[in-house]
Amino acid sequence: MLLLALLVSITCLVLYVRRVKRILSRHSKPLTYFSDVMLHGKTVLITGGNSGIGKETALDLAGRGSRVILACRNLTKAKETAEEIKNITRNSNIITMELDLNDLESVKKFAQRINQNEKRLDILINNAGIGVRGSDCTKQNYDEFFGINYLGHFLLTYLLLDLLKKSAPSRIINISSYAHIFVKKYPDFYLGQHGAKIKYPNLSGYATSKLCNILHSKILSKKLKASKVISNSLHPGMVKTGILNNDPFQGKGLLRILLYRILFKYMGRSTKDGAKTVIYAAIDESLNDISGQYFENNSIANNELSKLAKDEKLAEKLWDISLQMCAEYLEN
Ligand SMILES: NC(=O)c1ccc[n+]([C@@H]2O[C@H](COP(=O)([O-])OP(=O)(O)OC[C@H]3O[C@@H](n4cnc5c(N)ncnc54)[C@H](OP(=O)(O)O)[C@@H]3O)[C@@H](O)[C@H]2O)c1
């Protein structure tokens, strides 16, 4: 009996390890993508375009001749990146603008400047994000992951919709993550106790924010059906970037973060390869009429989505609540 139990346990362990290995190799294998699409006359906006996947994407799209707006919280870093991109691509049309997704007021001001000064917006890439908590909450008291990775981008996209529609055919791309699958419970939209520091305390954590990115893309594609604006989300893979480099707030989740850092460092794909699926989603002509989809490794990967990420009612609910959260900031 004992021997049988041992055999079953070993078999389960072997199957589990094989499954994890399969998933890891799917997310870290090298990628190739080639396209001769050029973007002269087009404008691309990339949040967090000063480092990692965003920077690599900006470099590629600038090389195709587009005007590239790097929307960043750190303007010094952004300007250095812009100079680097200009030197490599010989494209001088690289703009830097301040955007702090931690603060909805900053998002609103940024969107106002874009709407006033830009004639068009062809590709909006909602890329910026944090992987390690730097504090408890955002300026408007939302969980930091939820606020920066999702809500700031929700407001930004909402405020830029008219410009995107005017420039159609245009594209909205949300950089999500396979990590969305770690949300197992239906999200709880409890506002929290009156006067509590964090609003909607159960909408917290990295995985929840990335689930929201996917739901955001899905609901947008539904709302934009009558227009020529498409909206998709994607997982870039496991990519060697600085996303886990922040010091964790009060040492929260330190061990988990250290483990991920080691995994990403030794198994992650390069930023160049990490940007491939983003570039594919931004320019591939086969996607002209494809909206509401989730991509991995340069192809549609809806079968990798969790049940929650496919839940249309949840996407509607999130949209309505996000509008309430941003109510003060919705007027352009
Ligand atoms: N790396 C991966 O394996 C992986 C896997 C799945 C999904 N992703 C997603 O890919 C996206 C890009 O991440 P990455 O890996 O390239 O990491 P990264 O190199 O750390 O880039 C993140 C960017 O977001 C910016 N950012 C952070 N907080 C911001 C704020 N409050 N306002 C404006 N910008 C802000 C950062 O600016 P600073 O330079 O000023 O910090 C940086 O430019 C993220 O959405 C991430 O969730 C990454």
Side-chain angles (χ1 to χ4, degrees), residues 48 50-53 73-74 77 99-102 127-130 148 175-177 206 210 235-239 241-243 264:
N50 63 285
S51 68
I53 297 164
R73 65 175 165 181
N74 182 334
K77 257 164 99 177
L99 166 70
D100 186 359
L101 291 155
N102 189 51
N127 160 78
I130 54 162
I148 294 175
I175 314 302
S176 176
S177 169
Y206 182 76
K210 293 289 136 183
H235 169 59
M238 204 164 80
V239 192
T241 66
I243 189 119
F264 278 50

Side-chain angles (χ1 to χ4, degrees), residues 50-240:
N50 63 285
S51 68
I53 297 164
K55 177 177 171 182
E56 210 56 55
T57 305
L59 182 62
D60 181 283
L61 301 183
R64 295 173 191 274
S66 62
R67 174 175 174 81
V68 177
I69 303 169
L70 304 175
C72 304
R73 65 175 165 181
N74 182 334
L75 269 189
T76 313
K77 257 164 99 177
K79 284 189 174 133
E80 282 167 17
T81 302
E83 283 313 306
E84 206 182 317
I85 294 176
K86 283 179 195 172
N87 286 336
I88 297 172
T89 61
R90 300 277 145 216
N91 177 349
S92 57
N93 212 354
I94 315 297
I95 314 298
T96 55
M97 282 175 69
E98 191 175 348
L99 166 70
D100 186 359
L101 291 155
N102 189 51
D103 176 6
L104 296 176
E105 190 61 47
S106 164
V107 176
K108 182 177 174 169
K109 279 194 188 136
F110 173 85
Q112 277 171 340
R113 285 179 61 200
I114 293 285
N115 284 323
Q116 277 159 16
N117 300 327
E118 294 298 322
K119 289 192 187 69
R120 54 185 308 116
L121 178 57
D122 301 276
I123 305 171
L124 168 63
I125 304 181
N126 290 324
N127 160 78
I130 54 162
V132 178
R133 195 185 287 286
S135 74
D136 256 347
C137 60
T138 65
K139 187 96 188 279
Q140 283 77 27
N141 300 87
Y142 296 99
D143 170 77
E144 212 193 10
F145 288 113
F146 179 81
I148 294 175
N149 297 0
Y150 166 70
L151 193 64
H153 283 125
F154 170 87
L155 177 62
L156 176 68
T157 308
Y158 187 90
L159 294 174
L160 297 179
L161 276 182
D162 285 343
L163 187 59
L164 283 156
K165 283 182 192 163
K166 207 177 90 183
S167 318
S170 51
R171 299 185 181 198
I172 303 167
I173 297 144
N174 281 350
I175 314 302
S176 176
S177 169
Y178 180 70
H180 78 277
I181 63 150
F182 295 120
V183 184
K184 299 292 180 201
K185 272 191 354 206
Y186 195 87
D188 175 353
F189 295 98
Y190 164 60
L191 174 60
Q193 283 181 351
H194 183 69
K197 188 174 175 198
I198 302 188
K199 295 185 220 164
Y200 296 89
N202 298 327
L203 292 177
S204 67
Y206 182 76
T208 300
S209 71
K210 293 289 136 183
L211 171 66
C212 292
N213 290 148
I214 297 170
L215 294 168
H216 182 211
S217 277
K218 288 208 172 289
I219 191 72
L220 271 173
S221 82
K222 217 167 145 187
K223 302 221 177 261
L224 294 168
K225 216 171 186 165
S227 73
K228 276 266 175 198
V229 186
I230 60 166
S231 152
N232 293 301
S233 63
L234 63 91
H235 169 59
M238 204 164 80
V239 192
K240 279 182 222 167

Side-chain angles (χ1 to χ4, degrees), residues 26 32 48 54 83 105 114 121 186 194 203 227 236 255 274 276 280 285 288 293 296:
R26 194 176 82 229
T32 48
E83 283 313 306
E105 190 61 47
I114 293 285
L121 178 57
Y186 195 87
H194 183 69
L203 292 177
S227 73
L255 195 63
K276 296 259 163 70
Y280 161 78
E285 284 171 328
N288 284 347
Q293 310 300 310
E296 281 184 15

Side-chain angles (χ1 to χ4, degrees), residues 244-256:
L244 296 169
N245 288 355
N246 269 359
D247 281 335
F249 178 61
Q250 294 176 351
K252 277 182 191 168
L254 185 59
L255 195 63
R256 189 170 37 85

Side-chain angles (χ1 to χ4, degrees), residues 8-21:
V8 171
S9 310
I10 292 172
T11 312
C12 287
L13 187 71
V14 169
L15 288 176
Y16 180 74
V17 170
R18 270 200 196 160
R19 191 169 169 243
V20 171
K21 263 180 81 177

